[in-house]
Amino acid sequence: MFGLLITIALVAAVDMEEWDPIKNQLKDFMASTDGPIGTLTTSGGTPVSDHEATSTLDTDSVIDNEYFLDKITHFVEEKIPERIVHPKGSGAFGYFEVTHDISDICKANFLSKVGKKTPIAARLSTTRGNRGGSDVNRDTRGMSIKFYTEEGNLDLTGFSTSVFTIKDAVHFDSANHAAGINPATGFTDISTFWDFLSSLPESIFLVLQLFSDLGIPAGYAHMAAHPIHTYQVVNDCGVYHFVRFHFIPDAGIKHLTSAEAKNISSNDPDFMGRDLFTRIAKGQYPTWTVSVQILSEADLKKTGHIVFDVTTLISTRDFPLLPVGKIVLNENPNNYHAQVEQMAFCPSSLVPGILGAPDKLFLARRLAYRHSQMYRLGSNFKKIPVNCPFRVDTHTYVRDGVPPVGDNEKGAPNYYPNSFNGAEPYREKYNSKLIKIKETSRVNNLGQAAEYYEELSSGEKSRLIDNFSDGLKGALPMIQIKVLNLIKRIHRKLGEQLAKKLKM
Ligand code: HEM
């Protein structure tokens, strides 16, 4: 009896190990049905005859075949604009659970008590490249979370590096142009990448992280992410605090070497997405601990406004990471286009208690994301099911526009103020608003970049030098010299070793 049970368990374990949820998706779908799922119809719901479905040859006209017309005219419109950055990504669903109470500093309802669970959607992505490209390249990566709270959706977009490239949004398009293709040749031009970055010394801290082991995670489940901005939060008494969030993978931060990544990428350019999907399908749910660094208004008086600079870290010695909750991803999307491609994260999707960040880059992002999403998904992108704040009854004065419009607020008044029981704003106890900060274009982070390098182990240092010189060797010599001069300003020894490696 026990022998039989052990055999069944072993067979199940082997099956589980070998079962490939991606390869078997259609087979699994078939197994979940008793036969064809229904009669074939046109998009308009008209049943399609076998005659129409099988051939347009030897017919009087193709225009009278609605089945064919429906398919061919729709097919040529299937593609929508991809995201201008982070176009290649994978999505998943799950929940956020509060493990530690921070309701004394933030009144957001989803953080109100330990054990409270909030459904979430997540998208994990590379930053550069295109939708069909590799997700195993050396790159920064994104991890965005949409919290479907009872007070509307909160979107936090995280980066795999702990700092951002630039602190002034005026450089955003140039930074991406320089890292993209040369407009004359149509090919990637490594010289423009290095030329631009070395013109903005504050970007070098991110570049060191990018060329260190951090640049290629061993799968999304092993990647940390940082929403970076210092968010202003407010409690029930109207008192402000300032918070940096961090998502740390419970499976540990692990990386691939450049050689391992090249090898994987040539066999499977979708490695990161495939790994995420497979883990979830097999019940090995990836989880992250969400931690915060908290600063009070009194702390701000001591630190100054540098803590809002997205190119610098806030010291964990002075402001340690305090756990708040867990992110668990336990459900795969069932339709990539509907649920992942159409996901839209807006830094401006905030909830009462979380006011956003007071730096200008954040404000620029409030505008840019919305514009991007209107362009690629249309003005009603928040009515697309995956973006809907489904736990709230929405009542807005927003109307019409391109589909989907939902119920378009039915018969409710479409102007405000009105005398006909249209929706009314709630009365806030305290008039919370973002503080005004003084920002500087001064480069604040060269010391942090040097410290980051110093703290690497000797193995990590030597891999960074190899990766860095590999990345730089294709650039024009004049650009290589410019980069090396900057690196020497940060860390003389690193600069010298790089120069040696590049035979400069
Ligand atoms: C001037 C600063 C920035 C601008 C103008 C900008 C702009 C954009 C735009 C237009 C998108 C595409 C949005 C869409 O179509 O759905 C995007 C995506 C993204 N950005 Fe930014 N961004 C900036 C800074 C940042 C920072 C500081 C972070 C991280 C802390 C970040 C993380 C992301 C992520 C993770 C995505 C992908 C979202 C997704 O998965 O759909 N960005 N960004």
Side-chain angles (χ1 to χ4, degrees), residues 146 152-157 231 344-352 354-357 362-371 373 381-382:
K146 187 181 290 294
N153 291 350
L154 167 71
D155 293 350
L156 291 182
T157 53
Y231 282 75
F345 298 89
C346 300
S348 54
S349 287
L350 299 163
V351 291
I354 301 184
L355 278 68
F362 187 84
L363 301 183
R365 293 180 70 202
R366 291 185 74 138
L367 188 71
Y369 285 63
R370 181 179 230 100
H371 189 74
Q373 289 149 1
F381 69 90
K382 289 197 177 166

Side-chain angles (χ1 to χ4, degrees), residues 383 388-389 392-396 407 409:
K383 291 188 173 167
C388 268
V392 185
D393 286 332
T394 53
H395 299 289
T396 81
D407 67 12
E409 306 288 334

Side-chain angles (χ1 to χ4, degrees), residues 83-86 123 125 142-144 157-159 164 169 172 226-229 343-345 361 365 368-369 372-373 376:
R83 293 165 180 80
I84 186 69
V85 284
H86 299 266
R123 186 170 177 272
S125 55
M143 176 171 171
S144 304
T157 53
F159 231 48
F164 197 56
F172 187 76
H226 315 269
I228 302 182
H229 292 277
M343 267 187 201
F345 298 89
L361 192 108
R365 293 180 70 202
Y369 285 63
S372 167
Q373 289 149 1
R376 67 183 183 88

Side-chain angles (χ1 to χ4, degrees), residues 20-275:
D20 179 338
I22 296 176
K23 196 163 150 190
N24 285 293
Q25 185 269 322
L26 283 176
K27 214 167 141 221
D28 293 339
F29 171 79
M30 186 172 73
S32 72
T33 61
D34 295 328
I37 52 172
T39 301
L40 176 66
T41 66
T42 62
S43 301
T46 314
V48 176
S49 70
D50 54 351
H51 178 70
E52 288 171 303
T54 46
S55 180
T56 59
L57 305 181
D58 292 331
T59 53
D60 294 339
S61 152
V62 291
I63 308 275
D64 57 8
N65 183 338
E66 177 58 16
Y67 168 74
F68 165 72
L69 272 193
D70 193 23
K71 283 197 318 153
I72 198 74
T73 54
H74 191 277
F75 174 68
V76 296
E77 295 215 12
E78 267 176 17
K79 289 206 174 170
I80 61 169
E82 58 181 37
R83 293 165 180 80
I84 186 69
V85 284
H86 299 266
K88 169 126 182 165
S90 302
F93 298 89
Y95 62 89
F96 167 77
E97 179 170 3
V98 179
T99 53
H100 294 73
D101 189 359
I102 58 162
S103 58
D104 56 328
I105 66 149
C106 180
K107 67 176 183 181
N109 173 279
F110 81 106
L111 296 171
S112 60
K113 59 172 192 285
V114 171
K116 190 169 172 86
K117 286 186 181 175
T118 299
I120 58 171
R123 186 170 177 272
L124 296 109
S125 55
T126 47
T127 305
R128 291 162 58 202
N130 299 317
R131 253 196 69 181
S134 169
D135 62 16
V136 209
N137 289 337
R138 182 167 300 283
D139 197 357
T140 51
R141 284 174 173 74
M143 176 171 171
S144 304
I145 308 289
K146 187 181 290 294
F147 299 78
Y148 299 102
T149 87
E150 291 156 316
E151 299 176 304
N153 291 350
L154 167 71
D155 293 350
L156 291 182
T157 53
F159 231 48
S160 56
T161 51
S162 54
V163 291
F164 197 56
T165 349
I166 52 170
K167 61 166 113 187
D168 190 333
V170 78
H171 298 307
F172 187 76
D173 55 331
S174 290
N176 284 289
H177 281 167
I181 56 162
N182 175 315
T185 62
F187 297 113
T188 306
D189 188 337
I190 197 67
S191 294
T192 59
F193 171 82
W194 287 110
D195 182 31
F196 186 77
L197 290 182
S198 55
S199 306
L200 287 184
E202 67 264 36
S203 68
I204 273 309
F205 189 10
L206 177 137
V207 172
L208 284 191
Q209 293 192 29
L210 176 64
F211 284 93
S212 74
D213 287 347
L214 273 183
I216 320 179
Y220 287 129
H222 292 294
M223 183 182 91
H226 315 269
I228 302 182
H229 292 277
T230 302
Y231 282 75
Q232 184 178 338
V233 297
V234 62
N235 66 12
D236 263 332
C237 306
V239 176
Y240 297 138
H241 282 83
F242 303 90
V243 170
R244 266 201 192 187
F245 293 92
H246 303 271
F247 309 152
I248 310 296
D250 295 321
I253 298 176
K254 292 187 188 157
H255 308 108
L256 298 173
T257 63
S258 290
E260 285 167 336
K262 270 187 198 138
N263 191 22
I264 293 174
S265 188
S266 61
N267 293 313
D268 184 7
D270 302 320
F271 167 78
M272 300 267 170
R274 191 182 304 280
D275 180 63

Side-chain angles (χ1 to χ4, degrees), residues 2-33:
F2 283 130
L4 180 65
L5 282 181
I6 290 168
T7 315
I8 292 171
L10 279 178
V11 170
V14 169
D15 270 2
M16 191 63 188
E17 216 168 87
E18 288 174 356
W19 174 63
D20 179 338
I22 296 176
K23 196 163 150 190
N24 285 293
Q25 185 269 322
L26 283 176
K27 214 167 141 221
D28 293 339
F29 171 79
M30 186 172 73
S32 72
T33 61

Side-chain angles (χ1 to χ4, degrees), residues 431-451:
N431 181 14
S432 311
K433 52 177 191 263
L434 287 173
I435 60 163
K436 294 235 175 322
I437 62 166
K438 241 190 154 30
E439 294 178 278
T440 164
S441 57
R442 202 178 55 232
V443 179
N444 293 316
N445 64 1
L446 295 190
Q448 289 192 343
E451 204 178 316

